[in-house]
Amino acid sequence: MRMIALACLCFVIARPMIGGNSFFSLSSNSPEMLVLILDRSASMDIGAHSNLKSKRERALEIFDQFVEPWPESKIALVESVYEEPFFLSEIQALKDSNFKDFTGQTDTSSSLTRTLLKTLEWMKKTQVGPAEILLASDMQRSNWGENKSSNQFSRIDKILEQKKDLWTLKIIPLNSKSSYNISLRVNKIARSKETIKPSLTLKQSKSTNPLNSVDIQKSLNGESENLNLKISSNYTKWHTTFNLKKQAEEGWGSIKLNSSFNKSDDHYYFTYGKNSIPQVGVLSLNPVIENVLRSAAQNSDGKIAEPLILENLDNKKNTQRRMVIQQGAISKAVSESLDKFVKQGGTLVLFPSENKNLNNYPFLSWQELEERNEDQAFTIQSWSKEEGVLKNFADGASIGLDYLSVLKRMVPNQGEALAYYGDGKAFLSKFTHGNGLVYAFSTLPLDSWSSLKDGYILVPSIQRIMLESSSVMDSSNDLICGSEETKNIFEYSCIDLPEQKKPALHAGVYKINGKLTAINRPLEELDNEIFTLSDLNSKLPNSPTLQELNESKRSTFKRSEIWTSFLYLCLAFLLAESLLGIPKQSKRKQKKNV
């Protein structure tokens, strides 16, 4: 009995705990540091089911419970926007309004691979000892960048393998889906002198009782108009018009849903200016082709497109254009300039070289030159007549591609075909490159090549591409929320909600360096695909298997001390031993002397 009591006394001194990943552990294993990694991407502010709290808010609650058993451990927080670790004197400090910039809602995306790597490298550099690392995220696949972050995954894997006896990485996957949500995406914005015409797509998540309509608020320079839009399916396309007749030459606008569950994917902002109507430049060494293309790209005032000079392709005036039409052989330097132009959001329309494939693009190549006689000319057999740059006219008349006669062609190898020859090869292809678009024709507007020079097909297709190229009002002033550019903006004023937003955290309209700038959330935040724990483990083959903590099972991250129970047991056993050690009295009683 005494030995059992002594054993209980030892456990009292050791202060054991229960819960977590093991049934029983000793406080001597308490980590030196608790590192909390918070995903603050826009999708983390979606609620789930009947829970009115966002995933981000639930993550903060989980952090609170996770650190509770280790009051003696240091606490460090790393969030996905600024990615800089800072220490907390106590976990309750996260509820302080002073920490709102580090824990509040954002319109950003995340690069969790980069955030995790930066955190581990910081821990390694500062020689952190035993540590528990908890990463809370909705595990949106786009935020892990698996195709772009192979080197980062390898470096994470190496560090975790080296520190496997000291550090433990746990994941809280907050990937439950919301019961209802509508997201807004602007596909393009057509700009003319007096109007702005956005084309949008509304996506409604699956719900047992989907809405039949949604309230939308349009704003132009602070003046709002409320609309009610009927919704017929999970995907609804919608077009609207902003009238600029009585507006200032420079201004801003927004479109906002009033019935969305997620406040980060329900709005879009844009700016416009007197120079925001798309400008087109033509680059060709053949004067005949240049004149045809310049005429086809004339603006609404009848002014033909300006010619571009190879030597000045990188000057500021040219880089601010929305669209460039290029034909013929070019140097590597020009190719790199055009590559940069498209990646930054420009539209590039390409035509093949006259003699042979001399075009030197890193993103496009053509097949070998093919020729036919007039009686066996290539003809166009199929194309989309309902949408796109080759669609029918408003009165239903066809653009007339079936009458086009092609004697020579060089078919582009890349892109989605918008029209097909009789043998199935592409007449015109289209693809995205960076933030911009590339169109590639397979023939030239020369009599020796095709009848494209007549203009019946070339002019409407070029004009429609010009409208599509104005998908951003003034792209030089538009930024993505959370980008490095927005993080380096320190002097600004918020226009749509004065003194309530920051460019690095919130979408909106800002005045920066005297110019109106629209900042919107990254499009990848609309991605619904999940990066599972098995996917993450496969990227880290040499590391210990990552532990998943289940949010619904609070015992997986709640621990409690039980040393007081052993103290009571010790006292009980000592008391029992004392009682058992008392000698028994004799049954005979000595008689008293009379």
Side-chain angles (χ1 to χ4, degrees):
M1 193 71 68
R2 184 176 301 172
M3 295 301 295
I4 297 175
L6 289 174
C8 291
L9 185 60
C10 291
F11 281 119
V12 170
I13 297 173
R15 297 182 69 179
M17 306 178 77
I18 60 171
N21 299 305
S22 60
F23 176 75
F24 186 81
S25 62
L26 301 179
S27 61
S28 58
N29 292 329
S30 294
E32 172 189 327
M33 185 177 294
L34 304 173
V35 182
L36 312 175
I37 302 177
L38 176 63
D39 178 4
R40 292 179 70 201
S41 59
S43 58
M44 282 289 285
D45 269 84
I46 297 179
H49 305 297
S50 59
N51 192 337
L52 297 180
K53 294 182 179 179
S54 69
K55 297 177 182 180
R56 175 185 52 81
E57 292 170 325
R58 283 152 48 206
L60 294 174
E61 290 182 351
I62 292 170
F63 286 167
D64 193 358
Q65 297 169 8
F66 181 74
V67 305
E68 183 180 352
W70 295 297
E72 68 278 11
S73 299
K74 296 178 181 178
I75 306 172
L77 176 70
V78 183
E79 46 79 45
S80 62
V81 178
Y82 298 107
E83 300 179 314
E84 294 293 337
F86 59 90
F87 289 99
L88 302 173
S89 58
E90 57 178 357
I91 193 65
Q92 298 302 321
L94 293 179
K95 299 179 182 179
D96 194 315
S97 59
N98 293 327
F99 282 91
K100 186 177 180 181
D101 286 346
F102 303 100
T103 59
Q105 178 264 332
T106 78
D107 294 314
T108 68
S109 62
S110 296
S111 176
L112 292 175
T113 316
R114 184 184 64 205
T115 304
L116 178 57
L117 177 60
K118 283 187 174 182
T119 303
L120 296 178
E121 288 180 336
W122 166 75
M123 293 173 65
K124 184 178 179 180
K125 182 178 180 180
T126 54
Q127 299 181 347
V128 173
E132 294 277 339
I133 308 167
L134 180 62
L135 188 153
S137 168
D138 60 356
M139 302 302 286
Q140 193 176 42
R141 184 173 292 274
S142 61
N143 288 336
W144 286 93
E146 56 182 324
N147 297 325
K148 303 177 182 178
S149 309
S150 57
N151 180 52
Q152 292 178 339
F153 277 119
S154 299
R155 291 160 64 186
I156 291 171
D157 191 32
K158 184 177 180 180
I159 295 175
L160 289 178
E161 183 185 15
Q162 292 173 349
K163 300 291 184 178
K164 61 183 178 182
D165 296 326
L166 287 176
W167 301 348
T168 302
L169 175 60
K170 299 179 175 69
I171 307 292
I172 287 282
L174 302 168
N175 50 24
S176 54
K177 295 183 178 180
S178 62
S179 57
Y180 178 74
N181 189 52
I182 296 182
S183 61
L184 177 151
R185 177 171 183 172
V186 175
N187 303 317
K188 62 180 180 180
I189 301 182
R191 169 73 202 276
S192 65
K193 182 179 292 187
E194 296 182 344
T195 61
I196 295 174
K197 297 182 179 180
S199 174
L200 307 94
T201 300
L202 305 182
K203 180 182 177 183
Q204 182 175 203
S205 63
K206 293 182 179 179
S207 175
T208 53
N209 297 307
L211 293 180
N212 296 321
S213 64
V214 62
D215 293 325
I216 297 178
Q217 183 183 75
K218 292 169 47 180
S219 296
L220 187 62
N221 296 320
E223 297 181 3
S224 300
E225 176 185 0
N226 294 317
L227 306 172
N228 185 266
L229 177 66
K230 301 297 181 182
I231 300 176
S232 57
S233 63
N234 289 336
Y235 289 89
T236 302
K237 290 187 177 181
W238 180 57
H239 304 272
T240 188
T241 300
F242 291 86
N243 195 321
L244 303 180
K245 285 184 178 180
K246 298 181 180 180
Q247 300 293 331
E249 288 187 339
E250 297 181 348
W252 64 277
S254 66
I255 302 171
K256 181 180 179 181
L257 300 179
N258 292 328
S259 303
S260 178
F261 198 51
N262 179 15
K263 299 305 179 184
S264 291
D265 62 2
D266 65 350
H267 49 249
Y268 180 83
Y269 300 93
F270 63 86
T271 61
Y272 70 89
K274 57 185 177 181
N275 296 322
S276 59
I277 299 176
Q279 298 181 16
V280 182
V282 176
L283 178 62
S284 176
L285 297 179
N286 186 313
V288 176
I289 296 176
E290 180 186 275
N291 289 333
V292 171
L293 297 178
R294 289 178 63 194
S295 299
Q298 63 180 298
N299 62 23
S300 57
D301 294 329
K303 183 180 179 181
I304 65 175
E306 297 181 1
L308 298 181
I309 302 174
L310 291 175
E311 291 77 8
N312 298 327
L313 193 60
D314 272 333
N315 68 35
K316 185 176 181 180
K317 181 179 179 181
N318 290 329
T319 55
Q320 288 181 343
R321 296 181 187 278
R322 290 296 303 147
M323 180 171 158
V324 170
I325 304 175
Q326 191 275 322
Q327 182 276 327
I330 54 174
S331 66
K332 184 178 180 181
V334 173
S335 174
E336 291 174 351
S337 297
L338 293 176
D339 182 45
K340 180 181 178 181
F341 167 76
V342 179
K343 286 181 177 179
Q344 292 178 343
T347 298
L348 182 61
V349 182
L350 299 175
F351 290 83
S353 178
E354 297 172 65
N355 300 319
K356 56 181 180 179
N357 193 355
L358 297 177
N359 300 88
N360 183 27
Y361 302 113
F363 50 84
L364 178 74
S365 62
W366 271 276
Q367 298 177 15
E368 293 298 322
L369 177 64
E370 299 176 76
E371 300 184 51
R372 284 190 180 180
N373 298 324
E374 291 187 9
D375 56 346
Q376 296 180 330
F378 300 104
T379 57
I380 312 301
Q381 295 295 326
S382 62
W383 67 95
S384 176
K385 299 179 178 62
E386 286 75 34
E387 58 183 2
V389 298
L390 302 175
K391 65 182 179 181
N392 292 345
F393 294 104
D395 60 0
S398 171
I399 197 172
L401 270 175
D402 44 355
Y403 296 105
L404 181 67
S405 176
V406 177
L407 304 178
K408 295 181 182 180
R409 69 178 186 182
M410 290 175 63
V411 177
N413 287 317
Q414 287 76 28
E416 173 193 1
L418 303 183
Y420 297 90
Y421 289 103
D423 57 2
K425 293 187 177 182
F427 163 72
L428 172 64
S429 65
K430 171 188 175 182
F431 60 93
T432 58
H433 183 58
N435 294 322
L437 289 172
V438 177
Y439 286 87
F441 284 84
S442 60
T443 190
L444 294 173
L446 291 175
D447 293 334
S448 59
W449 276 69
S450 70
S451 56
L452 199 61
K453 181 181 176 182
D454 295 341
Y456 296 109
I457 298 166
L458 183 63
V459 172
S461 59
I462 292 295
Q463 290 292 317
R464 289 168 177 176
I465 294 174
M466 288 170 60
L467 284 176
E468 191 172 68
S469 73
S470 60
S471 58
V472 179
M473 294 301 92
D474 191 350
S475 62
S476 62
N477 289 342
D478 279 16
L479 297 173
I480 300 299
C481 191
S483 63
E484 290 302 318
E485 294 92 336
T486 60
K487 293 178 186 178
N488 293 320
I489 297 173
F490 303 105
E491 295 185 5
Y492 62 88
S493 61
C494 182
I495 303 301
D496 59 299
L497 288 175
E499 300 183 2
Q500 297 184 40
K501 295 181 179 181
K502 292 188 175 182
L505 302 176
H506 309 117
V509 178
Y510 299 83
K511 179 164 282 189
I512 303 170
N513 296 326
K515 294 183 179 181
L516 288 177
T517 301
I519 296 180
N520 285 293
R521 71 181 187 280
L523 290 178
E524 56 264 28
E525 280 305 296
L526 295 177
D527 178 27
N528 293 322
E529 192 173 355
I530 299 299
F531 190 67
T532 64
L533 192 63
S534 59
D535 292 331
L536 183 54
N537 277 315
S538 68
K539 296 290 183 180
L540 308 171
N542 300 312
S543 305
T545 302
L546 300 181
Q547 300 179 25
E548 176 179 349
L549 300 187
N550 192 330
E551 181 196 7
S552 61
K553 297 179 180 179
R554 298 302 171 101
S555 60
T556 59
F557 48 83
K558 232 183 170 182
R559 294 158 57 96
S560 60
E561 294 186 344
I562 59 169
W563 64 272
T564 52
S565 300
F566 284 102
L567 176 60
Y568 294 138
L569 283 175
C570 177
L571 294 175
F573 281 124
L574 289 174
L575 181 61
E577 183 192 15
S578 300
L579 293 175
L580 292 175
I582 297 176
K584 295 182 179 180
Q585 293 184 354
S586 174
K587 293 182 179 180
R588 296 180 180 180
K589 295 182 179 179
Q590 294 182 356
K591 295 181 178 180
K592 293 182 179 181
N593 293 328
V594 178

